[in-house]
């Protein structure tokens, strides 16, 4: 099952052995046969905010004994004994374990014996238990009372005043203010116990629920036949605020009321409860997900952070073999991920079963379930690196398994998002969390209905924590704010501008370019610092200026985006968030590539061209092509060295005509490192020469010139000489004709050729100090095809001086 329950506490294992040991230590010799007290009455009464568990049982004389199990020290402590046969309705202990509040009624047998005697049905007491001393009667009424001490966020020192809630069956809630003082050393007593301040905080309610983790009280009251949900937040300064009130479109009866999370209710028939199904709701500390579980029927994992994408929620039914995780008993969901089985006395903590979810990810055939599990594992996982590794392994084997979305895109975006989600609020509105914006594919068992409804009229009275987030989300929807999620459109435009300027010889300011490249260097250094193991490939080890420009531009633009929309967050924190986010994104791509290399056992010898290709190389080439497609559509940077690896594998795996198509269509980008390896590794056979010529003519001019100097071939020498002579002619400054004619030792009657010889002679004489220039000129004379062309032109215009003069002018 997707949920795994671990018992945090068990009365039979954590309390009963201690009770027996205590009894044995105090028993008289020879009395071992009467040690078995009435432990069948042992039961849990309450779970406090700090995790301490209050329980009670009846001793041999049927006195009520209260005990406490400390979840931190895992030790038991006796609290108090009422020397009467009573039934406990409710119980609570303050944080310092100096006061005990309890609400009691007469037990069934006692009630039968005294049914004719007048008196109150329920007695609510406040007891000093450090040490046991005075008992204060708070209430003596005919209605049931439930009690709950507040556990507020305070410093480690004890509070001078304690707050206690009393919830009455007569539909009112009171708050008591109890001051304590120390006497005779450590003895704690109630100050002015005869006049405890109190005030009524709610009345006429029909439903109430206590949130022990956040110390909030929710209740529904009826005002003019309307059901209104209200929430009170309690604070350490003894105050409480009405956080919100919202009318509900439901009709509730005022004939009864329901209590949630106020401890054990002994009035409920346990045998009957076991026959009914109990819906269980779990939350986790990140408030991401809510798990709704009905044993034997369904398990829903609802993504409440992104409810607009139904594909981010997981819906499992009995068809998915949702085995029962809990016994059919009177269990109750507590705050967070706790569930308490009142009948057995076990407290469970619910965890998402990562192993089950990963197995489900491998086996499911539905895209919607793959999407939901992917986000669930990434957001709630206890070991992110291990889980990411498992997901990457799955992607490498199932890269084409999804049809409704791009699996690589979704993984990169989701993992990068969840890696920094907890660092600040409102990240979900300014950073992309999914590669899909809408989901129109059918989800089995779920019917989607689009309906415009009015937002509830919610009066939010205080903006703190959760409510600040809720109010922000409501405003975002209500006022149709523009889509704020970051995208790389600005980066794309700026990057193309920089590349175009580079081709035309234009350059931005040195400071601007230095800042961009420095940002890229910081990202790469950050990745290398977090990965101690050496890289299996050339990733991050190559000077790929184009990818570094893209990387630095993304850092710069993302930083500006967060600074605009995260008001109040210090700049240093935002800069670190940006660095971590982009580093995570780039590192994920590296791990995708390296996992594929490990899976197919590719060695470093693959990086050389003079070896036969293998089927494993084609598989890795295919996955790298899918990674390139995924990142290109989002315009995400790739780690420097990626294009070199991709090109090397492409040359190994593709026939020449397919290879050239990939290059011409921009799928393969020719890098200086890749082409240099190709030129050096391959000999000059006819097949290899054809490959080299085809690639050489597709290189950018600057890289092509460098490659020609590496390749020892007549054609490369011809290209070098042509390029150099072209540059000389472009930079040539015209001199007087007489001086030029003096430098020429010969002339021909064909004027264009004569003029061309004069220019080259002048250039040769002006570059005598440069051996490279003289060599290039000599190579040009040796290989140039201009001379035969000019001679042919001379033959055609012989005898027609006017045409010869015109040709000479055109040459000039």
């Amino acid at each position: 099952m997707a949920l795994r329950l671990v018992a945090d506490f068990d009365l039979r294992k954590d309390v009963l052995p201690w009770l027996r040991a205590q009894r044995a230590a105090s028993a008289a010799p020879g009395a071992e046969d009467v040690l078995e007290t009435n432990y069948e009455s042992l039961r849990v009464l309450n779970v406090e905010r700090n995790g301490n568990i209050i329980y009670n049982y009846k001793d041999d004389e049927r006195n009520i004994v209260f005990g406490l199990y400390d979840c931190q020290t895992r030790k038991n402590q006796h609290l108090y004994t009422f020397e009467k046969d009573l039934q406990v309705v409710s119980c609570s202990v303050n944080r310092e374990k100096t006061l005990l509040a309890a609400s009691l009624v007469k037990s069934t047998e006692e009630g039968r014996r005294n049914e004719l005697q007048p008196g109150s049905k329920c007695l609510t007491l406040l007891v000093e238990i450090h040490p046991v001393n005075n008992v204060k009667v708070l209430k003596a009424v005919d209605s049931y009372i439930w009690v709950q001490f507040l556990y507020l966020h305070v410093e480690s020192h004890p509070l001078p005043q304690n707050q206690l809630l009393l919830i009455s069956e007569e539909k009112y809630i009171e708050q008591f203010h109890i001051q304590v003082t120390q006497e005779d050393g450590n003895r704690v007593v109630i100050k002015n116990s005869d006049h405890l301040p109190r005030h009524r905080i709610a009345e006429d309610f029909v439903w109430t629920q206590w949130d022990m983790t956040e110390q909030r009280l929710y209740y529904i009251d009826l005002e003019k036949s309307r059901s209104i949900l209200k929430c009170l937040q309690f604070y350490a300064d003894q105050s409480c605020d009405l956080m919100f009130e919202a009318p509900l479109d439901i009709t509730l009866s005022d004939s009864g009321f329901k209590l949630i999370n106020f401890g054990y209710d002994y009035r409920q028939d346990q045998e009957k409860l076991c026959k009914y199904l109990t819906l269980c709701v779990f939350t986790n500390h990140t408030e991401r997900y809510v798990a709704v579980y009905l044993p034997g029927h369904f398990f829903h994992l609802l993504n409440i952070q992104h409810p607009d994408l139904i594909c981010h929620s997981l819906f499992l039914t009995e068809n998915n073999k949702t085995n029962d995780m809990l016994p059919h008993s009177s269990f109750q969901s507590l705050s967070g991920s706790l569930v308490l089985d009142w009948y057995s006395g076990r407290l469970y903590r619910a965890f998402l079963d990562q192993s089950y979810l990963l197995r489900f990810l491998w086996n499911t055939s539905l895209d919607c379930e793959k999407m939901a599990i992917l986000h669930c594992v990434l957001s709630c996982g206890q070991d992110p690196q291990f889980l990411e590794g498992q997901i990457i392994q799955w992607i490498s084997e199932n890269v084409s398994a999804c049809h409704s979305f791009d699996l690589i895109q979704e993984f990169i975006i989701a993992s990068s998002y969840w890696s920094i989600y907890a660092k600040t609020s409102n990240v979900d509105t300014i950073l992309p969390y999914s590669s899909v914006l809408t989901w129109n594919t059918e989800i089995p068992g779920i019917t989607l209905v689009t309906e415009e409804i009015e937002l509830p009229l919610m009066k939010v009275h205080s903006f703190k924590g959760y409510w600040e987030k809720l109010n922000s989300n409501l405003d975002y929807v209500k006022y149709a704010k523009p889509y704020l999620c970051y995208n790389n459109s600005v980066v794309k435009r700026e990057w193309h501008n920089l590349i175009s300027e580079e081709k035309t010889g234009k350059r931005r300011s040195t400071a601007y370019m230095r800042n961009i490249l420095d940002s890229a260097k910081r990202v790469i250094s950050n990745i290398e610092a977090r990965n101690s193991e050496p890289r299996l490939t050339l990733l991050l080890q190559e000077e790929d200026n184009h990818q570094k420009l893209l990387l630095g531009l993304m850092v710069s633009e993302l930083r500006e985006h967060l600074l605009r929309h995260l008001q109040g967050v210090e700049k240093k924190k935002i800069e670190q968030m940006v660095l971590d986010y982009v580093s995570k994104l780039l590192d994920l791509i590296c791990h995708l590539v390296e996992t594929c290399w490990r899976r197919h056992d590719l060695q470093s010898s693959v990086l050389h061209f003079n070896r036969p290709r293998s089927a494993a190389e084609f598989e890795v080439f295919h996955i790298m092509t899918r990674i390139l497609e995924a990142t290109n559509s989002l315009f995400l940077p790739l780690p420097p060295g990626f294009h070199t690896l991709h090109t090397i594998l492409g040359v190994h795996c593709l026939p020449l005509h397919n290879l050239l198509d990939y290059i011409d269509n921009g799928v393969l980008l020719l890098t200086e490192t890749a082409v240099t390896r190709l030129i050096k590794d391959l000999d000059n056979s006819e097949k290899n020469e054809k490959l080299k010529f085809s690639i050489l003519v597709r290189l950018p001019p600057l890289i092509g010139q460098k490659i020609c100097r590496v390749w020892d071939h007549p054609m490369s020498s011809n290209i070098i000489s042509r390029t150099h002579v072209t540059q000389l002619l472009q930079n040539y400054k015209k001199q007087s004709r007489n001086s030029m004619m003096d430098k020429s030792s010969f002339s021909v009657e064909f004027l264009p050729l004569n003029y061309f010889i004069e220019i080259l002679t002048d250039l040769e004489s002006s570059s005598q100090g440069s051996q490279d220039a003289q060599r290039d000129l000599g190579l040009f004379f040796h290989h140039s095809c201009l001379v035969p062309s000019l001679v042919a032109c001379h033959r055609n215009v012989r005898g027609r001086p006017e045409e010869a003069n015109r040709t000479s002018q055109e040459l000039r």
Side-chain angles (χ1 to χ4, degrees):
M1 186 58 193
L3 276 183
R4 178 170 56 89
L5 296 180
V6 177
D8 270 11
F9 170 80
D10 188 339
L11 273 177
R12 305 297 167 184
K13 295 180 179 179
D14 296 314
V15 176
L16 193 54
W18 177 78
L19 292 177
R20 287 172 175 163
Q22 293 289 105
R23 182 68 184 273
S26 60
E32 290 81 2
D33 55 335
V34 295
L35 287 181
E36 285 299 322
T37 305
N38 185 20
Y39 290 131
E40 288 76 14
S41 63
L42 182 64
R43 58 187 174 86
V44 173
L45 293 174
N46 200 358
V47 180
E48 299 290 4
R49 181 186 186 181
N50 57 9
N52 290 345
I53 299 169
I54 306 172
Y55 56 87
N56 82 302
Y57 64 93
K58 292 185 178 181
D59 62 13
D60 292 336
E61 299 177 359
R62 300 199 59 80
N63 298 321
I64 295 295
V65 182
F66 291 89
L68 180 142
Y69 177 80
D70 192 317
C71 66
Q72 300 296 328
T73 63
R74 308 194 74 83
K75 293 182 179 180
N76 289 277
Q77 174 184 346
H78 173 262
L79 294 178
Y80 190 71
T81 300
F82 281 101
E83 296 179 350
K84 287 187 178 181
D85 184 9
L86 300 174
Q87 193 74 40
V88 181
V89 176
S90 177
C91 181
S92 183
V93 176
N94 67 344
R95 181 195 298 271
E96 297 76 32
K97 293 182 284 190
T98 58
L99 298 177
L100 170 73
S103 180
L104 307 103
V105 295
K106 295 176 182 178
S107 65
T108 304
E109 295 181 1
E110 182 72 14
R112 289 190 186 126
R113 291 197 300 266
N114 299 287
E115 59 184 358
L116 299 179
Q117 297 179 5
S120 302
K121 181 173 65 174
C122 184
L123 196 64
T124 304
L125 305 176
L126 182 63
V127 185
E128 300 168 353
I129 58 173
H130 188 73
V132 173
N133 194 24
N134 298 320
V135 177
K136 164 70 176 176
V137 177
L138 297 179
K139 290 280 185 180
V141 292
D142 289 334
S143 58
Y144 288 98
I145 299 290
W146 287 262
V147 293
Q148 179 61 59
F149 273 104
L150 301 183
Y151 280 60
L152 304 172
H153 290 288
V154 293
E155 302 296 333
S156 58
H157 60 79
L159 273 176
Q161 191 173 83
N162 292 267
Q163 309 296 314
L164 177 68
L165 296 182
L166 265 66
I167 300 91
S168 172
E169 189 180 24
E170 294 181 350
K171 303 179 182 178
Y172 67 83
I173 302 175
E174 290 184 337
Q175 181 178 3
F176 279 75
H177 306 274
I178 306 164
Q179 277 194 316
V180 294
T181 185
Q182 288 188 345
E183 295 180 355
D184 300 332
N186 293 327
R187 181 182 175 190
V188 178
V189 298
I190 301 172
K191 188 176 181 181
N192 299 325
S193 60
D194 293 334
H195 300 89
L196 294 179
R198 62 179 175 175
H199 68 282
R200 188 163 295 189
I201 59 177
E203 55 188 353
D204 297 329
F205 64 88
V206 293
W207 174 91
T208 183
Q209 176 172 329
W210 175 243
D211 183 347
M212 70 172 183
T213 302
E214 301 297 336
Q215 298 288 281
R216 296 181 186 132
L217 181 70
Y218 301 88
Y219 63 97
I220 299 175
D221 62 14
L222 301 178
E223 295 182 4
K224 299 180 181 179
S225 301
R226 293 194 312 162
S227 300
I228 299 180
L229 174 65
K230 297 181 179 181
C231 173
L232 292 176
Q233 173 72 66
F234 296 93
Y235 300 107
D237 62 357
Q238 307 172 24
S239 65
C240 68
D241 281 347
L242 179 63
M243 297 298 292
F244 75 83
E245 52 184 85
L248 303 178
D249 191 18
I250 57 176
T251 302
L252 297 175
S253 171
D254 61 353
S255 59
F257 76 106
K258 179 69 174 177
L259 295 178
I260 307 295
N261 290 355
F262 280 99
Y264 175 80
D265 191 348
Y266 84 98
R267 301 174 303 168
Q268 297 177 335
D269 190 329
Q270 300 302 319
E271 294 184 358
K272 289 183 178 180
L273 282 176
C274 293
K275 297 179 181 178
Y276 295 100
L277 295 176
T278 304
L279 186 70
C280 200
V281 180
F282 302 92
T283 60
N284 65 352
H285 66 283
T286 62
E287 299 178 352
R288 308 264 31 86
Y289 282 88
V290 170
V292 184
Y293 172 58
L294 187 62
H297 288 74
F298 66 81
F299 173 78
H300 291 175
L301 193 61
L302 306 177
N303 188 320
I304 59 174
Q305 183 63 33
H306 307 127
D308 52 324
L309 287 175
I310 194 70
C311 57
H312 283 192
S313 297
L314 183 64
F315 303 93
L316 302 180
T317 64
E318 56 185 352
N319 296 329
N320 302 103
K321 299 180 180 179
T322 56
N323 299 323
D324 290 353
M325 299 175 294
L326 295 172
H328 289 259
S329 182
S330 56
F331 60 84
Q332 182 177 5
S333 299
L334 302 179
S335 299
S337 56
L338 294 176
V339 60
L340 179 62
D341 184 352
W342 298 108
Y343 188 73
S344 67
R346 293 188 181 95
L347 180 69
Y348 298 97
R349 187 174 300 275
F351 296 92
L352 285 171
D353 192 335
Q354 306 293 340
S355 299
Y356 173 87
L357 291 176
L358 288 173
R359 289 195 304 271
F360 197 91
L361 183 65
W362 281 83
N363 297 325
T364 184
S365 59
L366 297 178
D367 285 0
C368 58
E369 292 181 344
K370 294 172 186 174
M371 172 82 82
I373 295 175
L374 181 67
H375 279 266
C376 178
V377 171
L378 291 174
S379 62
C380 303
Q382 303 297 320
D383 188 352
Q385 287 188 339
F386 170 77
L387 294 172
E388 283 177 358
Q390 294 295 306
I391 293 174
I392 289 174
Q393 185 70 29
W394 171 68
I395 291 175
S396 67
E397 298 183 24
N398 301 272
V399 69
S400 302
C402 296
H403 306 286
S404 304
F405 63 97
D406 188 300
L407 188 56
I408 295 175
Q409 276 188 358
E410 192 66 24
F411 170 67
I412 292 174
I413 293 176
S415 187
S416 301
Y417 169 82
W418 289 113
S419 68
I420 68 165
Y421 169 78
K423 295 183 179 180
T424 187
S425 59
N426 297 327
V427 171
D428 53 305
T429 61
I430 58 177
L431 283 179
Y433 52 84
S434 178
S435 63
V436 299
L437 299 179
T438 58
W439 186 267
N440 300 318
T441 307
E442 179 184 0
I443 298 178
I446 301 298
T447 302
L448 298 179
V449 179
T450 302
E451 181 180 358
E452 290 188 5
I453 59 174
E454 295 184 1
L455 291 174
L457 178 61
M458 178 175 286
K459 294 168 61 180
V460 181
H461 300 273
S462 181
F463 304 118
K464 294 181 180 179
Y466 169 79
W467 306 112
E468 182 181 8
K469 176 66 175 176
L470 174 63
N471 190 70
S472 174
N473 288 344
L474 288 176
D475 282 346
Y476 187 83
V477 176
K478 186 186 303 182
Y479 300 111
K481 293 184 178 180
Y483 191 69
L484 302 179
C485 271
Y486 172 81
N487 63 76
N488 270 346
S489 58
V490 176
V491 174
K492 181 178 181 180
R493 183 171 59 252
E494 180 67 5
W495 186 80
H496 281 304
N497 289 339
L498 288 174
I499 299 302
S500 299
E501 292 171 3
E502 181 183 272
K503 292 179 180 179
T504 58
K506 297 181 181 178
R507 297 289 292 178
R508 298 287 182 93
S509 67
T510 304
Y512 175 80
M513 298 300 294
R514 184 173 60 249
N515 289 336
I516 296 298
L517 294 177
D518 284 348
S519 296
K521 290 178 182 178
R522 284 196 297 272
V523 171
I524 295 175
S525 299
N526 191 41
I527 297 175
E528 292 176 339
R530 297 183 180 186
N531 293 274
S532 57
E533 297 182 1
R535 295 287 181 187
L536 296 178
T537 62
L538 294 175
L539 298 179
L540 302 177
Q541 301 175 27
E542 182 181 317
E543 289 295 328
D544 188 340
N545 284 332
H546 285 183
Q547 286 304 310
K548 288 185 177 180
L549 279 178
L550 179 55
L551 184 59
L553 285 172
M554 182 176 179
V555 171
S556 177
E557 181 59 28
L558 182 58
R559 180 174 58 244
E560 294 301 318
H561 178 80
L562 296 186
L563 287 172
R564 281 195 302 269
H565 299 293
L566 289 181
Q567 300 293 332
V569 181
E570 60 181 8
K571 184 178 179 181
K572 186 177 180 180
K573 182 178 180 179
I574 288 180
E575 289 178 346
Q576 187 61 46
M577 286 175 57
V578 171
L579 182 62
D580 292 340
Y581 181 83
V582 181
S583 299
K584 181 69 174 181
L585 186 148
L586 209 62
D587 196 39
L588 289 171
I589 299 174
C590 291
H591 283 314
L592 279 168
V593 176
E594 291 177 335
T595 299
C596 295
W597 278 63
R598 289 191 186 96
R599 176 171 172 257
H600 294 283
D601 197 25
L602 295 188
Q603 306 298 326
S604 58
S605 58
V606 174
L607 302 178
H608 297 281
F609 290 90
N610 52 355
R611 58 181 303 279
R613 65 183 179 184
S614 64
E617 294 175 27
F618 186 83
E619 291 294 327
V620 176
F621 173 73
H622 173 65
I623 293 177
M624 291 188 70
T625 303
R626 293 296 301 269
I627 293 173
L628 183 68
E629 292 172 353
T631 54
N632 276 352
S633 60
L634 298 173
F635 210 76
L636 298 177
L638 288 165
F642 181 92
H643 288 298
T644 294
L645 290 175
H646 194 213
T647 299
I648 291 175
L649 291 176
V651 173
H652 280 170
C653 301
L654 299 175
L656 180 59
H657 66 280
N658 292 115
L659 175 68
L660 299 180
D661 282 342
Y662 273 58
I663 295 173
D664 294 338
N665 290 296
V667 179
L668 290 176
L669 296 184
L670 298 174
T671 64
E672 182 179 346
T673 303
V675 179
T676 301
R677 284 177 180 264
L678 183 145
I679 295 296
K680 290 183 176 180
D681 288 349
L682 298 181
D683 60 22
N684 290 333
S685 65
E686 182 179 355
K687 180 181 178 181
N688 290 342
E689 279 190 345
K690 185 177 181 181
L691 171 62
K692 293 180 181 180
F693 290 151
S694 301
I695 289 180
L696 201 59
V697 298
R698 287 169 168 81
L699 289 175
L702 292 178
I703 297 180
Q705 294 173 25
K706 295 180 181 180
I707 298 301
C708 285
R709 297 188 181 276
V710 176
W711 186 21
D712 185 14
H713 190 273
M715 180 55 70
S716 63
S717 301
N718 187 16
I719 294 174
I720 293 172
S721 60
R722 284 172 179 270
T723 303
H724 189 76
V725 171
T726 300
Q727 293 176 350
L728 290 175
L729 291 175
Q730 289 174 346
N731 299 327
Y732 174 66
K733 294 182 179 179
K734 185 177 179 181
Q735 301 182 24
S736 63
R737 183 171 180 84
N738 293 333
S739 60
M740 291 175 56
M741 294 298 294
D742 293 341
K743 296 176 183 178
S744 177
S745 59
F746 63 92
S747 63
V748 295
E749 58 180 300
F750 181 45
L751 296 180
L753 179 58
N754 191 39
Y755 181 72
F756 186 60
I757 293 174
E758 292 173 2
I759 294 175
L760 295 182
T761 303
D762 181 62
L763 289 172
E764 185 178 21
S765 63
S766 63
S767 58
Q768 289 180 356
S770 172
Q771 295 181 357
D772 290 340
Q774 290 181 356
R775 183 195 63 209
D776 292 339
L777 284 170
L779 288 173
F780 178 79
F781 281 122
H782 180 73
H783 297 290
S784 179
C785 60
L786 281 178
V787 174
S789 300
L790 290 173
V791 171
C793 181
H794 162 65
R795 292 170 180 170
N796 290 334
V797 298
R798 183 178 297 168
R800 295 194 293 270
E802 64 281 0
E803 293 188 18
N805 290 330
R806 185 170 65 252
T807 303
S808 180
Q809 292 296 327
E810 291 175 355
L811 181 59
R812 288 193 177 94

